[in-house]
Amino acid sequence: MHGGATAVTAGWLVAAWNSAAVHRTTILLCTLALWEAISRLGVVDPIFLPPPSTIVLAVTEIFDDPRAVAAFRVTGLELGLSFVIAAVLGLAIGIPLGLNRFLRDAFLPPILFLLSTPKAIFLPIFLILFGIGVDSKIAYGAFSAFFYIVDNVVGGVGLLEAKRRRLARAFGAPLRHYLVDIVIPSALPGIFAGMWHGLRQALAAVLVAELFASDSGVGYMVRIYTNQFRTDKTLALVAVVSLLVIVAGSLFNRLEVRMNRWRAVAHT
Amino acid sequence: MSQAVIVDKLSVHYTIEQQPEPIVALDEIDLSVKKGELVTIIGPSGCGKSTLLHTIGGLISPTSGSIHIDGTPLLGPDPKRATFVFQEYTLLPWKNLVENVALGLKFAGIDRASRTARAMEQLKLMRLEQYAHMHPDQVSGGMQQRVAVARALAMEPQLILMDEPFGALDEQTRMMIGAEISRIFTLENRSALFVTHSLDEAVFLADRVILLTTRPGRIKEEIIVDEPRPRTRKFLETRRFVDIRSHLFASLDVPAGDREGADT
């Protein structure tokens, strides 16, 4: 009896030891505990680095602050619009560039040049052009996301095989069907990569623009809270944004798997 | 019998860089296919048999000469008149088999209900209806090419152009599908030009075999295979089959070193 129980316990331990999720969770919990300890024991000033428990309380606090709730709404709107603009322009420009070698040779180099330029140096120009309101955030967000989307869409369309082009020609595909039935499905991996990078770039751009000069949005609230030395509330904002990004990422992954079901089929 | 296609003095020249003289891929080819006739084209590799097929289907513009299908000139791809079955697997992996068969009909603007019905008919003819909702990657290469034939048949074209469609399949599967094609094309009275590098396939399927020479591609010989269709595998063992086959083999005039590969 006794020996059997030990074996069961040992088996359970081995299983736990072999689980990546268990390791990950353990490290995370240890880090949070260490952070809590050094902050509470006064190793670092809790004003500058409040313990995790305080941040959790601050999350509930900021949701009672109507300015913070409004800030999430504004940032969400800016992000949504800037992403949609960048996605539409990115597809409208990326697909022709991907399909046509001449257009690609002519116009892809300047796009790649701007892709590698740090976008932040353009921010003041956007503020001059569009003011410190929502418009400049949307324009700057769309600008930042656009290049990533175009680059990946062009790469995705490049996956189109010559035999599929010939098939479309031989079967007399009209342009609309050529794009919808042949080009876009084969370019989906690139399109998805582009959209995800674009979304992240747009979010980063919108937040940086709000931090730099604005009168609303999450970045603006971060500025307000840090000016008040409310590091707890600032980190609460960071935590909420991070959580939203993680949720968005997993939703995006699900969508990609769903849209690429035929690819998954190939491997089963 | 009226003619499904008439090819008149068809020439295709290529120019490549660093070579002043154009390459003559096809030189004044005259050929015709009667309604319901199945003509196979055979020749050593590089003789331009695929080029000939692609030109007749409008994918390559001829340097000179003309192509008439059902009495009117063909100036570019026109799937309702001449439809291709390609050598490589060209089914769209993101569409199921019935959607793949209906592809050309979709491009032609036919509504979903009627194109699906017509595609299902073709799959039934190929005895593949139970796989209609599977995706190409879930079925064998032989099945994929049979679906590609169904996709061409669904267009109900005047002429079907087949470019070594079963070249990637093993001999066993190839002969089985050949018998299937022979049955369906006879049943449906389809006209077809069929390029192959397999002597067995060329003789087994054809009402007439056309032998091409290498550069410039010219017609060297035409042989009538006077055997009623549809044919079964028994035809492969007949005296007539063997005689035609060895005659073609001699005519191919393959350099000794390449003989091994000539009939596979």
Side-chain angles (χ1 to χ4, degrees):
Chain A
M1 281 284 279
H2 186 77
T6 316
V8 168
T9 312
W12 180 82
L13 276 174
V14 168
W17 180 254
N18 287 332
S19 157
V22 167
H23 283 252
R24 185 167 59 231
T25 312
T26 310
I27 290 288
L28 190 70
L29 290 175
C30 288
T31 310
L32 286 173
L34 185 70
W35 177 358
E36 185 85 29
I38 60 172
S39 188
R40 283 196 183 272
L41 294 171
V43 180
V44 293
D45 190 332
I47 296 292
F48 297 131
L49 187 64
S53 54
T54 313
I55 295 168
V56 171
L57 283 177
V59 169
T60 60
E61 238 179 281
I62 59 168
F63 279 112
D64 287 335
D65 184 347
R67 287 181 311 166
V69 175
F72 275 102
R73 203 171 294 139
V74 168
T75 300
L77 178 81
E78 291 166 348
L79 173 64
L81 283 175
S82 60
F83 174 68
V84 167
I85 292 167
V88 169
L89 287 177
L91 287 170
I93 293 172
I95 290 174
L97 288 193
L99 287 174
N100 186 299
R101 177 158 195 173
F102 180 81
L103 290 176
R104 191 161 60 242
D105 287 347
F107 300 112
L108 195 58
I111 288 170
L112 292 180
F113 173 74
L114 281 168
L115 177 68
S116 47
T117 310
K119 306 304 170 289
I121 57 166
F122 293 101
L123 180 51
I125 297 168
F126 279 87
L127 293 168
I128 291 168
L129 284 174
F130 296 96
I132 63 159
V134 170
D135 295 352
S136 60
K137 313 300 177 287
I138 294 169
Y140 178 66
F143 171 78
S144 302
F146 170 76
F147 300 100
Y148 286 88
I149 296 179
V150 167
D151 185 36
N152 281 287
V153 169
V154 169
V157 174
L159 298 174
L160 181 65
E161 294 166 85
K163 67 176 184 182
R164 301 219 194 287
R165 283 177 185 243
R166 200 176 52 190
L167 174 77
R169 215 157 83 76
F171 279 81
L175 181 64
R176 183 171 61 90
H177 284 302
Y178 179 47
L179 294 177
V180 172
D181 292 313
I182 295 178
V183 175
I184 291 173
S186 76
L188 271 184
I191 292 173
F192 267 96
M195 293 302 155
W196 180 238
H197 282 303
L199 194 63
R200 281 174 33 208
Q201 289 298 321
L203 176 62
V206 162
L207 288 175
V208 165
E210 286 173 352
L211 279 171
F212 190 70
S214 66
D215 50 17
S216 58
V218 174
Y220 170 74
M221 287 312 293
V222 167
R223 228 167 65 221
I224 298 281
Y225 289 149
T226 48
N227 286 346
Q228 296 168 347
F229 281 99
R230 290 300 302 266
T231 323
D232 56 337
K233 285 189 172 181
T234 306
L235 287 172
L237 285 175
V238 171
V240 172
V241 169
S242 306
L243 206 68
L244 288 176
V245 170
I246 290 167
V247 170
S250 67
L251 287 178
F252 201 86
N253 268 335
R254 271 192 195 195
L255 181 68
E256 182 169 6
V257 168
R258 209 182 139 74
M259 297 282 284
N260 281 303
R261 242 179 327 196
W262 58 270
R263 254 182 244 279
V265 160
H267 301 295
T268 50
Chain B
M1 266 200 275
S2 60
Q3 305 288 357
V5 60
I6 299 170
V7 173
D8 187 34
K9 291 196 167 47
L10 193 74
S11 297
V12 173
H13 299 182
Y14 284 113
T15 42
I16 44 175
E17 272 178 71
Q18 294 153 353
Q19 206 165 322
E21 288 295 300
I23 293 169
V24 182
L26 298 173
D27 189 32
E28 304 213 325
I29 303 264
D30 287 318
L31 70 83
S32 60
V33 180
K34 295 189 202 78
K35 284 237 167 75
E37 193 182 20
L38 208 162
V39 176
T40 54
I41 301 172
I42 195 162
S45 56
C47 71
K49 48 192 193 293
S50 283
T51 306
L52 176 61
L53 205 73
H54 286 175
T55 311
I56 292 171
L59 288 176
I60 297 173
S61 301
T63 311
S64 63
S66 67
I67 300 134
H68 284 76
I69 294 183
D70 230 23
T72 43
L74 188 98
L75 303 167
D78 183 355
K80 275 170 246 161
R81 291 202 285 158
T83 317
F84 280 94
V85 180
F86 292 108
Q87 184 176 4
E88 321 96 316
Y89 299 158
T90 54
L91 298 184
L92 300 177
W94 46 86
K95 291 187 181 290
N96 66 29
L97 300 188
V98 67
E99 287 167 344
N100 267 291
V101 175
L103 191 73
L105 301 171
K106 186 180 188 185
F107 291 168
I110 291 163
D111 68 90
R112 179 186 290 269
S114 17
R115 69 175 186 251
T116 306
R118 275 170 70 178
M120 277 309 289
E121 262 173 53
Q122 293 303 327
L123 282 177
K124 276 200 190 107
L125 204 58
M126 286 281 169
R127 305 180 230 238
L128 289 172
E129 69 269 27
Q130 68 268 41
Y131 306 105
H133 298 287
M134 289 195 142
H135 281 75
D137 295 311
Q138 293 172 297
V139 302
S140 68
M143 261 154 94
Q144 289 190 44
Q145 286 306 69
R146 278 154 74 202
V147 173
V149 174
R151 179 175 66 187
L153 286 170
M155 299 305 289
E156 294 176 4
Q158 315 286 340
L159 180 70
I160 296 172
L161 300 165
M162 307 179 84
D163 183 14
E164 294 190 37
F166 313 127
L169 306 176
D170 60 273
E171 195 63 31
Q172 189 83 5
T173 311
R174 187 198 291 209
M175 288 321 291
M176 206 186 70
I177 296 178
E180 189 82 356
I181 293 294
S182 188
R183 177 182 71 84
I184 291 168
F185 280 33
T186 311
L187 187 75
E188 302 262 291
N189 198 33
R190 291 287 164 209
S191 326
L193 265 173
F194 192 115
V195 163
T196 178
H197 60 251
S198 156
L199 285 167
D200 286 339
E201 196 172 58
V203 179
F204 178 75
L205 290 174
D207 294 310
R208 187 151 50 95
V209 182
I210 291 177
L211 187 69
L212 286 191
T213 57
T214 311
R215 275 183 204 168
R218 288 196 185 116
I219 293 177
K220 187 177 182 187
E221 202 177 339
E222 287 192 38
I223 297 146
I224 309 270
V225 184
D226 191 12
E227 169 80 19
R229 283 171 45 205
R231 293 168 190 163
T232 61
R233 298 177 71 164
K234 281 197 186 107
F235 177 50
L236 292 169
E237 291 146 27
T238 61
R239 183 77 220 165
R240 186 185 294 155
F241 178 87
V242 176
D243 285 348
I244 296 173
R245 192 190 181 287
S246 28
H247 174 78
L248 275 173
F249 188 53
S251 291
L252 266 172
D253 196 30
V254 183
D258 286 353
R259 267 180 201 254
E260 280 293 284
D263 60 343
T264 53

